[in-house]
Amino acid sequence: MKNEKVKLTINGAEIEVPREYTVLDAATEAGVHIPTLCHLDLHDLKMVNRTASCRVCMVEVEGKPNLAPACATPINDGMIISTDTIKAINARRMAVELLLSNHPTDCLICQKNLQCELQTLAHRLSVREIKYTGEAMTTHLDTSSQSLVKNQNKCILCRRCETACNEIQTCGILTALNRGFHTTVGPAFNLPMQETSCTYCGQCVAVCPTAALTEVNHVPKVWDALNNEDKYVIVQTAPAIRVALGELFDMEAGSIVTGKMVSALRKLGFDKVFDTDFGADLTIMEEATELIDRLENGGRLPMLTSCCPAWVSFIEHQFPDLVDVPSTCKSPHIMFGTISKTYMAEKLNIDPQKITVVSIMPCIAKKAEAARTELALDDDNNVDIVITTRELAAMIKEAGIDFNKLPDEDFDHPLGETTGASVIFGTTGGVIEATMRTAYEWLTNEKLENVEFDQLRGFEGIREATVPINGKDIHIGIAHGLGNARQLLEDIRSGKSQYHAIEIMACPGGCIGGGGQPYHHGNDVVVKKRQEALYKEDKNKEVRQSHKNKEIIELYDSYLGKPYGELAHKLLHTKYTPKERI
Amino acid sequence: MSTVKSLEELKKIREASLKQMNIRKVDEDNKIKLLVGMATCGIAAGARETYNEILDTINEENLENVYVVQVGCMGYCYEEPIVQVNVPGKEPILYGNVDIKKGREIIEKHIKKGELLQDSIISKSFHKL
Amino acid sequence: MKQYRSHILVCAGTGCQSQEGHEIIEELKKQIEKANFHNEIQVVKTGCFGFCEKGPIIKILPENVFYIEVKPSDAKEIVEEHIIKGRRVQRLLYEEPNIHERLEQQKDMPFYKKQVRIALRNCGLIDPENIKEYIAEDGYMALGKVLTEMSQEEVIQLVRDSELRGRGGGGFSTGFKWELTYRNKDDQKYIVCNADEGDPGAFMDRSILEGDPHSVLEAMAIGAYAIGANKGFVYIRAEYPLAIQRLKIAMEQAKEYGFLGRNIFGTNFHFDVEIKYGAGAFVCGEETALINSMEGGRGEPNAKPPFPAESGFWNKPTCVNNVETYANIPPIILKGPKWFKQIGSEKSKGTKVFALAGKVNNVGLIEVPMGITLREVIFDIGGGIRNGRKFKAVQTGGPSGGCLTEALLDNPIDYENLTRIGSMMGSGGMIVMDEDDCMVNIAKFYLEFTEEESCGKCTPCRIGNKRLHEILIKITEGKGTKQDLEDLKKLGEMIKISSLCGLGQSSPNPVLSTLKYFYDEYLQHVENKHCPSGVCAALKKHEIVEENCVGCTLCARVCPVDCISGKVKEVHNIDQERCINCGACKEACKFNAIAN
């Protein structure tokens, strides 16, 4: 029954809450804090981890001899719950002590120091000694991949990564292995990550409470490049960075820090500070043209966007028969890398061999993407180093820059002008909206009065909309989260899908919820605020359509020629290869 | 075979199979027990044929409360084949020279109707085997 | 139909089969054929008789003579003596150790005297591979009755009225479980038979499936009808090949007779059964773990609720019952709840099958009425302790049950009572220990088992049991302290109340119960560094018993570290500092002059 309410007592106080609540929800509403560890509920992003495995949130329920996990216990009418009895407190503390007895104590030098949920919990419960000591897990470190590092010694078996990998992303890479004390999480047969079909979407990293799963740290490589006098080091920042970076400097979620970010990057010593948004505008030029080409010349429909490397890897491994549906466009930061080592190098008269391109990405899959050989130009990686939002913040802190006091500065040129269309690339629905803003005008030769396509926005996992262009209905599908993407692909495969264009982003929420972003620690509101900020940044832009970006027009006029033309094809497009599913 | 479509059909199969199984239900003390002497002398005198005849008669008559057991030498070698009838609560009766015909008679008269075959009784006062 | 005058029942359970049971059957057949009796004598393979201690067992009917420890080479004598001449083969009869008398009949043997057989009613009586024999024993009558004469509600009410409780360990009301599943409306429901018997040494479920598979199939069909399911699964461990084979044969036969399949008994009820194989993880006996395993996932439990009755196999309402529970259903339907309730104690009705093991004379499978005392089971049925040793403890409920002392032996066996005194019914393991067993070592042994069998999902079970085990190792190595005893208790209690599933919640039982009832023994280990039973090697202390030592010097000569000194014909001495407690001296001594 909807809207049904239930009365229960928590620590002596009566409270009335909706029937579908758990004990944890009810306690939170009653202002009673119950510590949790394995639990995770990203409400609107539809990711819930209710394994009830850590046994930290144990409470007493009257009439039951055993304690109950608050996070997974549904409420009943007249239930009497105590969260503060000595029995509950002792059990909770002992659970944390047991976890700590099997956890390395190298917190001082741990990648997750001060970001670790286990550390926070130990602090909160004032654990001062670990009574039960004994054998601790010793597994080998998995550093096989370009994107993530797996250190099972730090795993507390909350299984959030499994939920993310299997239920949300449906990749099925991570699973619990072995039994008893030696239980661990990893791919089947404990294969190195590199040998699996992992897409490196990084959602496991995003939800890992400890440092069992982290990104590969490329900060030292960036320092080396910056300190190499022979190198001309340029940096580009993805749209989603500017609305999230502030969180790591104690700013509120949704703060827009574009100017401070540019300023900080200059202070770090980058020779040029550019914007991946320029690459995004370039992508629209190519992708919109490709879409029109496919629409008008009977090409393969629907066309799927290809900005997201995790998504590209997903289709190669999981739907090898459908590798002809994604757009052949390289992703924006790779396009940017190519253009900077060709057009820009020519324009600024720099030897391309000396240019180092660093991308700041909200994503760890971009690290693996940059290493894809098919994206390379003359055997040279277009993008040399990829670091995440978190790694950038670490550099700024290490350099002693007082981020909050920085003045606002602008991006460099000639690759610095951007539009509102490219800004919204960072959120689900943004890429396809940007595409439509351009495609509409090109197809109709009319001016688009309202560039905001509200029907394409939102947080629903799968959305669809119809945009009438020239009397023809263009059907658009949007999915974020690979599980939702899978559903759309199944529909395409079975012929059920009638879409013309589909946008897919691997991470729930899009790049704003990426695996390289500041940890949301289970708070989905943070991700939503980043989205709001992106739309705000878009609104503030004078030019909001990619094909009206003056520097883009200049690039085509003076260098590339026609969008989707010969040179554009050579530089800005790629191909996909069917791969084995492991 | 065709499948069982009713309880009645099942009961029929049960009846047919039960005869086979009756022999195994000997733990119950309220059954009539027939002992056939089957030592070398008994067999030589035709005890095996008698035994089989008795068994067949019991089956034909669908007697569920009777079972037949072979035993060793009973000591009355001159009267072989020998059959002893133990009716619960009654003195055992020992018959001598039980051939096929007499075997059938024991079932039909003694077991079914309770009439003793006076002519063939060897003894009726001894301890139960 | 041809009537045989005599039946030779040969146990074809796994235990007897592993001791040349098959060869015995072949040899008997050969000898009977040779004597030209093959038209009169039938050799039947049946399920387990339970008296596994004395297996292989054969029983000859109608004489009802019970032969034990039969070897293939005995077949000739059995046929020549018993079958042809009607003489008992005396040496193969069971000899009652207390009265030294050879007993012919099963019913006279103390092992069987106090048993009441409901679940095992057909084991050792019928040929499990012959459906007709099952039918002769009222087989499928209950299903016929239920389908043609009763409504779903009536079936559930009948089972509820019988007060039958789950025999797999939890002791939850079977009828209520059926009702919960019945109440959850869904287009698809499932019924599952839990045959994942994981307790070491327990084999009641296996024996039922081997000896009477049709009773389980019939009960599953009855349950399926009651809850509204049309699909059933038997989840069985792959290491039970014989049970699987018999079950498969039974399924084929049941299909042939129309007890499985469409329109059973001419009604609209359809029901099919499929076998799902488990890999033998102990935790897969837990129903949510079992369902995960059935779905192809990792065998680990989920937090309940939701219970399987609401959301089970593929998220559909699912009813999971244990093999033994099912075996009780057909007689309950046919004889009625009143009959069933006459047997047993106030809150636990009917019987329970136990796998009696350890240091008793009569090891085997027994079925006893609930409410019988532990003493009766151990001393009357089990025939007391082996080799005249003294009883020390009995552990009920499998690896996570508790160890109970002599003083508790007059407690009646039922769900509540066993839990109250710190153990549990479990699935029916019963292991008897004597004075040679060290209780700390026993606790350590069980913890090693649960530590290994833990699925590793929840913290208390995964890490807590590991720590418990480590502390116990420490104590048995002589490195324990009194604080460790305190820690064991605290940690054990925490694991009990905060683990996710029944495995974790009961895993500390062996530790907690031995701490409670054998605290002195623990104290001896930590304070005096002494293991009173002489089991813990590190705590063994070899000493010369002065009054027995004749000074033969043999011990000094065998000692590998030369730590024994003494002159000929004088009392010797062991240097404790250097002694490695290998026990060579004790073994060598002919005068019982070395103690440990």
Side-chain angles (χ1 to χ4, degrees):
Chain A
M1 257 174 276
K2 269 239 151 113
N3 304 324
E4 200 191 335
K5 294 258 181 178
V6 169
K7 260 192 199 145
L8 67 160
T9 309
I10 300 180
N11 295 349
E14 200 168 270
I15 177 174
E16 205 180 44
V17 293
R19 148 127 357 253
E20 63 273 14
Y21 269 30
T22 60
V23 169
L24 181 65
D25 296 332
T28 308
E29 190 145 317
V32 174
H33 180 82
I34 301 173
T36 58
L37 184 56
C38 65
H39 176 70
L40 184 82
D41 190 349
L42 298 176
H43 303 268
D44 281 354
L45 296 175
K46 305 280 190 302
M47 191 193 295
V48 183
N49 190 56
R50 200 166 280 162
T51 47
S53 63
C54 72
R55 316 310 273 182
V56 167
C57 66
M58 305 306 281
V59 298
E60 262 194 78
V61 180
E62 204 176 276
K64 296 213 169 149
N66 291 343
L67 301 177
C71 71
T73 304
I75 49 168
N76 294 318
D77 223 353
M79 208 176 195
I80 299 174
I81 294 154
S82 308
T83 71
D84 55 0
T85 60
I86 193 73
K87 194 170 156 188
I89 289 173
N90 277 343
R92 216 175 276 160
R93 164 181 291 271
M94 218 180 270
V96 175
E97 281 182 29
L98 286 174
L99 285 170
L100 292 176
S101 77
N102 186 30
H103 194 89
T105 47
D106 60 349
C107 298
L108 288 179
I109 52 167
C110 177
Q111 201 161 345
K112 287 293 275 285
N113 190 17
L114 300 183
Q115 290 280 345
C116 170
E117 294 176 41
L118 179 63
Q119 188 185 41
T120 310
L121 190 61
H123 168 70
R124 207 176 171 119
L125 299 184
S126 302
V127 178
R128 293 291 174 266
E129 65 164 341
I130 298 163
K131 204 179 285 161
Y132 301 97
T133 53
E135 190 192 329
M137 274 289 270
T138 43
T139 54
H140 74 283
L141 206 62
D142 183 350
T143 54
S144 63
S145 88
Q146 307 277 347
S147 291
L148 58 84
V149 177
K150 199 161 74 70
N151 180 357
Q152 283 312 112
N153 295 346
K154 292 187 175 176
C155 175
I156 54 150
L157 286 159
C158 68
R159 319 285 286 274
R160 287 182 190 173
C161 56
E162 275 185 70
T163 303
C165 188
N166 303 324
E167 285 174 35
I168 309 305
Q169 304 295 62
T170 65
C171 291
I173 308 299
L174 294 175
T175 181
L177 306 168
N178 306 335
R179 302 197 73 76
F181 184 73
H182 299 284
T183 305
T184 180
V185 173
F189 312 113
N190 219 352
L191 284 174
M193 291 304 290
Q194 183 62 30
E195 291 173 26
T196 70
S197 301
C198 177
T199 66
Y200 305 117
C201 73
Q203 282 305 302
C204 55
V205 173
V207 295
C208 180
T210 67
L213 288 160
T214 52
E215 72 270 24
V216 174
N217 182 9
H218 285 135
V219 170
K221 274 174 127 181
V222 181
W223 286 129
D224 283 350
L226 288 172
N227 287 310
N228 187 338
E229 296 204 341
D230 292 336
K231 288 288 181 191
Y232 190 80
V233 189
I234 66 163
V235 65
Q236 54 165 328
T237 64
I241 314 297
R242 66 206 67 187
V243 293
L245 183 62
E247 291 164 31
L248 293 167
F249 296 94
D250 300 324
M251 292 186 198
E252 251 185 66
S255 303
I256 302 171
V257 295
T258 322
K260 290 189 195 311
M261 175 181 73
V262 173
S263 179
L265 289 166
R266 275 207 189 99
K267 278 200 183 309
L268 286 173
F270 288 101
D271 294 303
K272 291 279 183 206
V273 180
F274 291 130
D275 196 349
T276 310
D277 290 15
F278 180 85
D281 279 333
L282 190 54
T283 305
I284 292 301
M285 297 296 285
E286 291 299 315
E287 207 166 86
T289 316
E290 187 182 353
L291 177 64
I292 292 167
D293 179 67
R294 289 203 198 184
L295 282 171
E296 290 182 343
N297 300 321
R300 179 77 156 108
L301 287 173
M303 186 184 80
L304 282 83
T305 57
S306 59
C307 305
C308 172
W311 149 239
V312 165
S313 162
F314 183 77
I315 200 168
E316 284 179 330
H317 283 106
Q318 313 266 348
F319 293 85
D321 52 320
L322 294 180
V323 291
D324 59 335
V325 292
S327 154
T328 55
C329 290
K330 289 181 181 175
S331 74
H333 89 116
I334 301 288
M335 280 197 187
F336 189 97
T338 312
I339 291 302
S340 49
K341 287 186 181 176
T342 52
Y343 172 67
M344 185 201 77
E346 220 176 279
K347 208 158 178 166
L348 299 181
N349 197 20
I350 304 166
D351 176 4
Q353 294 294 320
K354 289 190 171 177
I355 299 175
T356 299
V357 180
V358 177
S359 299
I360 317 285
M361 294 285 129
C363 178
I364 66 165
K366 294 280 181 194
K367 288 174 184 268
E369 182 195 27
R372 279 177 76 114
T373 49
E374 61 267 50
L375 298 174
L377 188 72
D378 303 331
D379 295 330
D380 182 21
N381 278 344
N382 299 346
V383 170
D384 299 279
I385 310 168
V386 175
I387 60 169
T388 63
T389 320
R390 294 189 295 263
E391 288 170 277
L392 172 60
M395 287 184 75
I396 295 170
K397 284 175 184 172
E398 196 182 348
I401 297 166
D402 189 344
F403 188 78
N404 301 57
K405 287 190 181 155
L406 289 175
D408 285 349
E409 288 180 13
D410 275 337
F411 287 108
D412 286 313
H413 294 275
L415 310 178
E417 189 183 319
T418 61
T419 68
S422 54
V423 166
I424 56 172
F425 258 59
T427 173
T428 170
V431 173
I432 204 75
E433 181 172 338
T435 310
M436 293 321 291
R437 284 180 189 181
T438 292
Y440 184 90
E441 290 201 353
W442 281 353
L443 280 167
T444 59
N445 289 318
E446 283 169 20
K447 188 176 172 342
L448 184 63
E449 290 305 329
N450 181 11
V451 297
E452 291 179 11
F453 288 79
D454 281 336
Q455 65 268 47
L456 301 176
R457 299 183 176 188
F459 254 112
E460 275 299 302
I462 295 179
R463 305 191 294 282
E464 45 187 22
T466 303
V467 180
I469 297 179
N470 275 352
K472 192 183 172 192
D473 283 345
I474 303 291
H475 298 293
I476 292 167
I478 297 168
H480 58 128
L482 290 172
N484 295 321
R486 179 183 293 278
Q487 217 173 305
L488 279 189
L489 283 173
E490 305 272 6
D491 288 350
I492 294 173
R493 197 186 248 167
S494 67
K496 204 175 125 194
S497 159
Q498 298 298 320
Y499 302 113
H500 296 101
I502 293 177
E503 176 208 284
I504 290 175
M505 297 195 187
C507 292
C511 308
I512 46 173
Q517 290 281 59
Y519 294 109
H520 50 61
H521 294 301
N523 186 2
D524 62 314
V525 177
V526 169
V527 180
K528 280 182 172 169
K529 287 209 168 143
R530 293 175 193 160
Q531 186 188 49
E532 285 165 21
L534 279 183
Y535 283 126
K536 201 168 138 194
E537 179 94 331
D538 164 38
K539 247 194 168 74
N540 290 340
K541 286 270 184 183
E542 230 170 90
V543 182
R544 298 177 70 186
Q545 285 161 296
S546 300
H547 59 287
K548 294 180 182 165
N549 181 331
K550 286 203 188 71
E551 288 181 357
I552 289 285
I553 297 168
E554 159 77 16
L555 168 64
Y556 278 101
D557 284 352
S558 68
Y559 187 74
L560 285 173
K562 272 189 166 168
Y564 210 50
E566 197 182 329
L567 185 59
H569 241 288
K570 189 181 152 210
L571 295 181
L572 307 178
H573 289 259
T574 182
K575 60 178 193 299
Y576 310 109
T577 325
K579 287 175 183 160
E580 205 186 341
R581 182 174 178 180
I582 298 162
Chain B
M1 65 163 281
S2 65
T3 57
V4 178
K5 286 293 173 210
S6 67
L7 262 181
E8 283 58 46
E9 283 178 47
L10 177 63
K11 278 177 187 161
K12 269 184 212 151
I13 302 174
R14 179 180 173 274
E15 295 313 316
S17 314
L18 199 57
K19 284 182 190 167
Q20 282 289 343
M21 296 298 291
N22 241 337
I23 195 171
R24 297 189 204 163
K25 300 209 156 170
V26 290
D27 276 336
E28 292 137 50
D29 288 332
N30 56 356
K31 284 197 170 179
I32 298 170
K33 187 172 171 184
L34 294 180
L35 297 90
V36 182
M38 292 267 270
T40 314
C41 46
I43 294 170
R48 197 170 153 196
E49 288 72 21
T50 306
Y51 187 109
N52 286 333
E53 182 67 19
I54 289 175
L55 216 64
D56 290 344
T57 317
I58 290 171
N59 285 325
E60 279 163 27
E61 302 280 340
N62 283 326
L63 300 175
E64 287 188 10
N65 63 334
V66 187
Y67 70 99
V68 192
V69 177
Q70 60 163 342
V71 294
C73 178
M74 290 187 179
Y76 298 88
C77 306
Y78 58 95
E79 295 268 20
E80 293 284 3
I82 294 171
V83 172
Q84 181 186 324
V85 180
N86 292 352
V87 179
K90 290 187 181 162
E91 286 292 307
I93 307 288
L94 204 61
Y95 293 109
N97 291 319
V98 186
D99 55 13
I100 293 177
K101 194 172 148 247
K102 218 177 261 178
R104 189 169 276 273
E105 223 174 324
I106 289 173
I107 302 296
E108 270 158 14
K109 294 200 172 141
H110 188 161
I111 306 298
K112 284 182 76 180
K113 299 178 186 154
E115 298 166 7
L116 303 190
L117 281 69
Q118 296 295 348
D119 299 349
S120 308
I121 295 175
I122 302 173
S123 165
K124 50 177 180 175
S125 69
F126 63 98
H127 293 293
K128 221 178 189 177
L129 270 171
Chain C
M1 203 192 305
K2 171 68 202 157
Q3 295 291 310
Y4 293 97
R5 66 174 169 91
S6 179
H7 293 187
I8 305 179
L9 307 188
V10 184
C11 175
T14 295
C16 289
Q17 286 285 291
S18 66
Q19 297 182 67
E20 303 186 291
H22 185 70
E23 288 79 355
I24 294 171
I25 294 172
E26 290 308 307
E27 197 56 32
L28 278 171
K29 282 187 177 162
K30 211 169 101 189
Q31 293 296 336
I32 289 165
E33 188 124 357
K34 211 168 126 194
N36 202 22
F37 272 23
H38 51 277
N39 289 325
E40 295 167 43
I41 315 287
Q42 186 188 21
V43 180
V44 184
K45 42 178 183 173
T46 66
C48 179
F49 287 92
F51 201 13
C52 310
E53 171 80 24
K54 301 288 180 192
I57 282 164
I58 74 168
K59 189 169 159 182
I60 303 184
L61 293 153
E63 302 90 300
N64 206 17
V65 172
F66 197 85
Y67 288 130
I68 60 165
E69 293 172 345
V70 178
K71 288 184 282 300
S73 55
D74 295 328
K76 191 161 183 259
E77 192 177 345
I78 291 168
V79 172
E80 283 177 358
E81 281 296 301
H82 188 126
I83 302 297
I84 299 178
K85 297 181 184 158
R87 288 199 290 245
R88 307 296 175 255
V89 182
Q90 288 293 326
R91 62 176 183 87
L92 294 176
L93 291 173
Y94 171 68
E95 187 183 321
E96 164 61 32
N98 297 324
I99 50 173
H100 297 289
E101 200 178 289
R102 290 202 181 266
L103 301 175
E104 249 182 42
Q105 306 219 345
Q106 205 176 343
K107 61 179 181 184
D108 298 328
M109 292 159 52
F111 181 77
Y112 288 104
K113 260 187 189 167
K114 290 201 169 175
Q115 294 199 42
V116 174
R117 299 194 147 211
I118 299 175
L120 301 177
R121 63 192 179 282
N122 288 331
C123 288
L125 175 69
I126 65 166
D127 177 354
E129 296 181 9
N130 184 346
I131 191 172
K132 283 187 186 163
E133 295 199 357
Y134 180 68
I135 291 173
E137 296 304 314
D138 296 333
Y140 291 106
M141 291 291 280
L143 177 63
K145 182 179 168 190
V146 160
L147 292 184
T148 57
E149 295 169 8
M150 294 172 79
S151 67
Q152 290 172 277
E153 294 84 352
E154 281 167 345
V155 178
I156 290 168
Q157 193 55 46
L158 192 154
V159 176
R160 281 198 75 162
D161 287 346
S162 76
E163 295 175 36
L164 173 67
R165 296 168 67 172
R167 299 293 194 243
F172 193 74
S173 158
T174 305
F176 191 49
K177 205 173 200 177
W178 286 15
E179 188 171 336
L180 288 175
T181 324
Y182 164 73
R183 272 199 236 141
N184 282 299
K185 299 292 169 214
D186 207 308
D187 54 348
Q188 179 69 60
K189 297 185 196 180
Y190 298 104
I191 193 157
V192 176
C193 172
N194 180 351
D196 184 70
E197 192 167 42
D199 291 9
F203 54 103
M204 49 290 281
D205 294 345
R206 193 195 72 207
S207 289
I208 291 170
L209 286 171
E210 283 174 3
D212 195 13
H214 284 288
S215 71
V216 175
L217 291 177
E218 182 181 4
M220 284 179 75
I222 293 169
Y225 169 73
I227 65 168
N230 59 19
K231 179 89 199 171
F233 296 95
V234 179
Y235 182 86
I236 185 166
R237 35 184 58 213
E239 66 243 49
Y240 276 2
L242 189 59
I244 291 167
Q245 185 201 339
R246 298 255 164 88
L247 192 61
K248 279 184 176 165
I249 294 170
M251 280 162 58
E252 277 308 308
Q253 293 173 343
K255 262 181 221 161
E256 193 188 319
Y257 277 70
F259 304 131
L260 288 177
R262 298 191 64 77
N263 301 102
I264 299 170
F265 276 97
T267 66
N268 291 329
F269 176 65
H270 318 305
F271 181 60
D272 266 313
V273 174
E274 196 180 305
I275 301 178
K276 290 264 180 188
Y277 302 100
F282 180 60
V283 74
C284 286
E286 201 281 341
E287 53 185 5
T288 58
L290 181 149
I291 289 169
N292 278 334
S293 171
M294 271 179 36
E295 292 174 355
R298 187 170 190 265
E300 63 176 29
N302 294 347
K304 292 193 275 191
F307 291 91
E310 306 155 53
S311 174
F313 188 56
W314 300 126
N315 302 323
K316 296 292 184 183
T318 305
C319 181
V320 185
N321 292 126
N322 154 275
V323 173
E324 189 186 335
T325 313
Y326 281 125
N328 276 289
I329 296 287
I332 289 176
I333 301 277
L334 290 178
K335 297 184 184 176
K338 260 194 197 145
W339 160 79
F340 188 73
K341 277 163 68 176
Q342 285 170 359
I343 307 157
S345 69
E346 199 204 330
K347 284 191 169 171
S348 306
K349 303 299 181 194
T351 59
K352 179 78 193 83
V353 183
F354 287 98
L356 190 56
K359 305 281 180 69
V360 280
N361 277 311
N362 303 335
V363 165
L365 198 66
I366 59 167
E367 182 169 356
V368 290
M370 296 271 194
I372 193 172
T373 65
L374 287 161
R375 192 181 299 280
E376 285 173 279
V377 170
I378 297 164
F379 287 94
D380 297 344
I381 298 173
I385 308 302
R386 229 174 249 199
N387 303 327
R389 308 294 289 175
K390 216 170 143 259
F391 170 87
K392 185 168 188 179
V394 58
Q395 203 235 15
T396 71
S400 38
C403 294
L404 306 170
T405 57
E406 169 88 39
L408 298 165
L409 284 188
D410 291 312
N411 268 292
I413 296 173
D414 64 24
Y415 292 99
E416 276 72 23
N417 229 328
L418 288 176
T419 309
R420 189 178 55 77
I421 55 181
S423 186
M424 60 186 208
M425 183 76 85
S427 66
M430 194 179 284
I431 297 169
V432 179
M433 297 150 206
D434 70 8
E435 51 195 328
D436 292 337
D437 290 310
C438 165
M439 298 317 285
V440 183
N441 192 55
I442 292 281
K444 184 178 81 173
F445 169 79
Y446 285 119
L447 252 296
E448 189 183 335
F449 178 84
T450 40
E451 188 209 315
E452 262 179 35
E453 289 293 339
S454 161
C455 76
K457 185 170 182 175
C458 75
T459 311
C461 182
R462 180 180 74 249
I463 310 179
N465 279 330
K466 171 81 180 173
R467 300 293 174 245
L468 278 184
H469 186 208
E470 285 169 341
I471 297 173
L472 287 165
I473 292 174
K474 203 173 133 192
I475 295 173
T476 56
E477 284 176 350
K479 296 170 195 157
T481 63
K482 234 179 141 181
Q483 179 63 41
D484 285 327
L485 304 187
E486 192 82 358
D487 291 349
L488 275 181
K489 187 161 182 284
K490 271 196 182 162
L491 183 54
E493 277 164 2
M494 178 267 182
I495 295 170
K496 212 172 147 96
I497 59 168
S498 53
S499 286
L500 195 149
C501 80
L503 190 158
Q505 286 159 13
S506 57
S507 58
N509 278 345
V511 184
L512 293 174
S513 66
T514 49
L515 264 176
K516 185 172 168 189
Y517 297 125
F518 299 92
Y519 189 73
D520 280 348
E521 202 167 330
Y522 276 89
L523 266 188
Q524 286 278 330
H525 280 75
V526 297
E527 288 197 323
N528 302 337
K529 308 292 176 205
H530 175 60
C531 173
S533 318
V535 172
C536 302
L539 296 176
K540 265 188 195 163
K541 205 169 156 190
H542 285 82
E543 282 171 331
I544 304 283
V545 183
E546 292 191 13
E547 52 273 32
N548 290 354
C549 181
V550 298
C552 72
T553 72
L554 184 58
C555 57
R557 276 181 279 143
V558 298
C559 178
V561 291
D562 287 332
C563 73
I564 305 178
S565 57
K567 290 181 181 153
V568 183
K569 291 188 180 168
E570 279 178 23
V571 172
H572 280 49
N573 180 47
I574 300 176
D575 182 353
Q576 295 299 337
E577 292 286 301
R578 281 155 54 212
C579 174
I580 56 165
N581 287 308
C582 69
C585 52
K586 186 174 161 62
E587 211 164 288
C589 180
K590 296 190 172 83
F591 304 96
N592 209 13
I594 290 168
N596 66 348

